[in-house]
Amino acid sequence: MNTPSNTVPESPLDPQGIAPAAMSPTRPLYWSIRRELWENRSIYIAPLVVAGVVLLGFLVATIGRAMATVDPARKAAVLAETNSFAAGVIIATAFVVAVFYCLDALHGERRDRSILFWKSLPVSDLTTVLSKASIPLVVLPLIAFAIVLATKLIMLLLSTVVLLMNGLSAATSTPWAQMPVVLLYGLITLALWHAPIYGWLLLVSGWARRATFLWAVLPLVAVQIVEKIAFNTSYFGSMLKYRLVGGMAEAFAHQPHHSVPNQPHHSLPIVDLSQLTPGNFLSTPGLWIGLAFAAAFLAAAVWLRRYQGPI
């Protein structure tokens, strides 16, 4: 006698028979970067605020001075002045934001114990550290590029409106078509040149239990003091200065007749495409030595995050 079977044939829609879709390797990194932007709004708010202050100063100083000038030729000269301060101050703000972000990137999640939650997610320590390193190396330069470009265009629009209102020509000698290329090139070279600085700050952020700024700065100061006392030299200090402000000298060809009077040596110079020297920059030993140190610092930060618990 045949007994009816109680087993039910598997349905083709059975969820157990459906293999989970493979996740893209870059998707955890993408969402980790999005998380950093959600949690650290100063990344884009601070440069925007500085850009607003720069535009306000431009309105008061340049536009106000031009409106108060009676001579049409002098009025046009005032509005045609090349303003490199706007780009320099926004880029400097992005660098300061990057420094303080890196100092708190790994320390903050250990301090508020949110590291316990993030470690429970299927996101590796390598992905987390790389997402944090991408903020100063990729995200902030792109934000600075967009804000500087928008600020420059607004300043140009305001100057053009004032010139046209006074019946003057709105022609300008500034190479606006080349400016985005020069600006993006300068920001990329600065990010690569400062990579070991950001790597060192992330390493300190993952190791120090408190006072991350002091732990990041005091060892460097101590080395300089010991060198000065022991050998009466300052090679380490010169190396740090070169790492901080020497990238522009390697990335751009200095031409005095294109320079702006009283322009700081470390600021983004007013240049055209002929002054870009990517070959010289990429062949500089200091660039590759710095990138090697940056990779070592990031590898150490990954190791620390794997074994360091909350504070």
Side-chain angles (χ1 to χ4, degrees):
M1 182 177 179
N2 295 331
T3 58
S5 174
N6 292 328
T7 61
V8 180
E10 291 186 1
S11 170
L13 300 178
D14 187 0
Q16 294 182 355
I18 301 177
M23 181 180 294
S24 171
T26 60
R27 193 167 182 82
L29 180 62
Y30 167 77
W31 283 107
S32 297
I33 295 174
R34 290 283 299 270
R35 172 172 74 91
E36 297 301 320
L37 293 174
W38 289 333
E39 294 183 348
N40 302 275
R41 297 186 178 181
S42 61
I43 291 173
Y44 52 88
I45 290 179
L48 283 173
V49 171
V50 171
V53 174
V54 168
L55 286 174
L56 178 62
F58 176 76
L59 285 171
V60 174
T62 305
I63 301 295
R65 187 156 51 98
M67 295 294 290
T69 303
V70 179
D71 183 15
R74 179 58 184 161
K75 187 190 297 286
V78 169
L79 292 173
E81 290 177 355
T82 303
N83 193 335
S84 62
F85 178 76
V89 73
I90 294 173
I91 293 172
T93 301
F95 175 73
V96 173
V97 171
V99 167
F100 284 96
Y101 166 81
C102 290
L103 285 172
D104 191 64
L106 295 172
H107 181 264
E109 64 178 11
R110 294 164 54 223
R111 184 181 60 247
D112 60 17
R113 306 181 71 86
S114 62
I115 189 174
L116 298 175
F117 170 75
W118 296 117
K119 277 182 170 290
S120 66
L121 300 180
V123 179
S124 66
D125 298 298
L126 176 61
T127 299
T128 300
V129 172
L130 288 180
S131 68
K132 295 178 183 297
S134 67
I135 298 297
L137 293 175
V138 179
V139 176
L140 268 169
L142 292 177
I143 291 175
F145 172 78
I147 293 176
V148 169
L149 202 59
T151 303
K152 288 282 192 178
L153 291 176
I154 294 173
M155 293 166 66
L156 174 63
L157 179 61
L158 293 175
S159 300
T160 303
V161 170
V162 174
L163 286 170
L164 294 177
M165 288 174 59
N166 289 270
L168 301 174
S169 173
T172 176
S173 60
T174 304
W176 291 100
Q178 300 180 13
M179 188 186 68
V181 178
V182 174
L183 177 61
L184 185 60
Y185 170 78
L187 289 169
I188 292 174
T189 55
L190 278 176
L192 293 176
W193 193 257
H194 290 157
I197 298 177
Y198 302 138
W200 166 252
L201 296 177
L202 284 171
L203 174 61
V204 173
S205 177
W207 172 80
R209 298 184 64 85
R210 59 182 61 87
T212 53
F213 181 80
L214 292 179
W215 280 112
V217 173
L218 288 181
L220 307 180
V221 175
V223 171
Q224 295 182 66
I225 294 175
V226 171
E227 180 192 1
K228 187 65 176 178
I229 295 175
F231 306 104
N232 195 26
T233 59
S234 56
Y235 294 118
F236 188 75
S238 299
M239 182 193 69
L240 292 180
K241 181 180 178 181
Y242 177 65
R243 176 55 52 186
L244 189 63
V245 301
M248 291 293 96
E250 305 292 349
F252 293 91
H254 178 64
Q255 297 180 11
H257 62 278
H258 281 138
S259 62
V260 177
N262 301 323
Q263 184 184 15
H265 176 69
H266 61 276
S267 64
L268 192 66
I270 305 301
V271 297
D272 52 34
L273 294 180
S274 64
Q275 291 181 258
L276 275 59
T277 57
N280 179 70
F281 179 74
L282 293 175
S283 63
T284 302
L287 170 66
W288 300 105
I289 294 173
L291 292 177
F293 272 96
F297 291 150
L298 291 178
V302 172
W303 184 87
L304 282 173
R305 191 181 188 275
R306 184 172 301 149
Y307 296 105
Q308 289 275 61
I311 300 174

